């Protein structure tokens, strides 16, 4: 799906809704790589200056963020956020903002890391089900494919089977949050376990800062999934945020796939009703265990696993803090001095307002400077 608030049209994979942003997007922040990136940067968008010497960014976008009265949700034309948007904030909020303001500056070697990680995820997914490409022409079609995937996976979970790439969505602090769970399965004790796969470029476990981000990501998955199966997510909320048209007829390819799955529907609204009824009446349990599995990309060797304790109060506190930025209630923040080492692998280090201001946004420093004069 596109991250500008509109759904991509073209084709969507059914029986396994792949979402790279929730699978491998953050792996390019590999903590073992502490050398400054000198890779070429892509052509900038119209709102940014050209790269300077050595292809590094030399200035910020021409517009000043401090003069923009709209919220980031409005400025970036977003109808929803991804779980990985918030987990990137947990790593460095300022870096996440630059990624939105200056898209297309991903270094080639980092893009290669994403491709490798996506291939590993795909191989895992194909172990449990086939993928079918369904042509879509509207955002309603794209969401319909998500719903069909959910409907096909619910019976598998009911029979204590294993599923991969389960779409999740729900309103959190007034914002629609969307993501994709890598895997759900039951343990020998009958507990529902969420397993998140993280690939590593080098054969070693990540540092604590990376683990912290990963733990927050899967905690958000549990928070949203639990709300879905407890009937706390409503179709009205989804329609409100996405501006979907529930009465719009589905495309012929989507309708054909729905009939093959045994679903007699005509519109997105028909599918939504089926999904929300199935989620609440299927008696699916909440997630009991959160696990992260780190594997080496080159050898597929398991490097280690982390069992994550879900702390709802802490998760809610973080979400409230991060959503305050998206709603326009505060300026973006960079890392603390103790974590300034993260800047060594950041493409935006040379233009970072947070660094130049010594840990304070320049939009705050400028008024102070005028007062001193």
């Amino acid at each position: 799906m596109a991250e500008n608030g509109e759904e991509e049209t073209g084709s969507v994979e059914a029986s396994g809704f792949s979402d790279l942003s929730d699978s491998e997007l953050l792996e390019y922040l590999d903590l073992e790589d502490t050398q400054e990136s000198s890779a070429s940067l892509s052509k900038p968008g119209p709102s940014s200056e050209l790269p300077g010497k050595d292809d590094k960014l030399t200035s910020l976008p021409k517009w000043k963020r401090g003069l923009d009265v709209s919220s980031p949700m409005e400025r970036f034309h977003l109808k929803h956020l991804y779980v990985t948007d918030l987990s990137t904030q947990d790593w460095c909020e300022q870096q996440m903002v630059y990624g939105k303001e200056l898209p297309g500056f991903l270094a080639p070697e980092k893009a290669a890391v994403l491709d490798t990680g996506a291939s590993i995820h795909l191989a895992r997914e194909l172990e449990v089900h086939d993928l079918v490409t369904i042509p879509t022409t509207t955002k309603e079609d794209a969401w319909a494919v998500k719903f069909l995937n959910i409907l096909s996976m619910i019976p598998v979970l009911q029979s204590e089977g294993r599923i991969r790439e389960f779409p999740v969505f729900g309103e959190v602090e007034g914002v629609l949050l969307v993501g994709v769970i890598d895997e759900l399965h039951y343990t020998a004790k009958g507990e529902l376990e969420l397993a998140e796969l993280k690939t590593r470029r080098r054969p070693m476990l990540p540092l604590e800062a990376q683990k912290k981000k990963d733990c927050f990501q899967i905690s958000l998955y549990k928070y949203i999934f639990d709300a879905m199966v407890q009937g706390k997510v409503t179709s009205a909320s989804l329609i409100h945020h996405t501006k979907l048209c529930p009465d719009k007829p589905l495309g012929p390819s989507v309708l054909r796939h729905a009939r093959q799955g045994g679903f007699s529907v005509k519109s997105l609204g028909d599918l939504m009703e089926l999904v929300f009824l199935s989620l609440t009446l299927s008696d699916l349990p909440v997630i009991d265990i959160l696990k992260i599995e780190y594997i080496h990309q080159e050898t597929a060797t398991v490097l280690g696993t982390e069992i994550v304790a879900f702390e709802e109060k802490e998760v809610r506190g973080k979400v409230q803090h991060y959503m305050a930025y998206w709603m326009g209630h505060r300026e973006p923040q960079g890392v603390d001095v103790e974590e300034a080492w993260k800047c060594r692998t950041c493409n935006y280090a040379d233009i970072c307002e947070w660094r130049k201001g010594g840990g304070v946004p320049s939009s705050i420093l400028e008024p102070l400077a005028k007062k001193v004069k």
Side-chain angles (χ1 to χ4, degrees), residues 27 36 50 69 72 83 92 110 127 131 143 151 177-178 198 201 207 211 221 241 243 248 281 300-301 354 362 369:
E27 181 58 29
E36 286 194 62
L50 289 171
V69 296
V83 168
C92 177
K110 292 177 180 179
E127 291 175 0
L131 294 182
W143 274 90
L151 288 171
L177 206 54
V178 178
K198 295 293 183 185
R201 187 166 45 180
L207 299 179
K211 290 181 181 179
Y221 288 149
H241 288 287
K243 310 304 180 188
K248 192 169 188 176
L281 299 179
T301 303
W354 186 262
S362 61

Side-chain angles (χ1 to χ4, degrees), residues 16-19 22-24 120-129 153 156-157 160-168 179-187 191-198 217-219 221-222 225-226 286-293 295 302 305:
F17 180 81
S18 297
D19 187 340
D22 273 71
S23 295
E24 288 298 311
I120 294 173
H121 273 80
L122 178 60
R124 287 277 186 105
E125 188 176 355
L126 290 173
E127 291 175 0
V128 296
H129 54 228
M153 294 182 192
V156 180
L157 279 181
E160 299 191 355
R162 179 187 302 264
I163 62 171
R164 290 199 170 107
E165 303 296 318
F166 186 88
V168 292
V180 178
I181 293 175
D182 271 355
E183 181 177 316
L184 289 169
H185 60 253
Y186 291 88
T187 67
E191 298 168 304
L192 184 58
E193 180 176 270
L194 182 156
E196 174 75 11
L197 171 66
K198 295 293 183 185
Q217 179 181 344
I218 65 171
S219 293
Y221 288 149
K222 170 179 165 55
F225 178 87
D226 289 358
V286 297
I287 294 171
D288 299 301
I289 302 173
L290 299 174
K291 183 177 74 174
I292 305 172
E293 182 181 29
I295 71 170
V302 177
T305 59

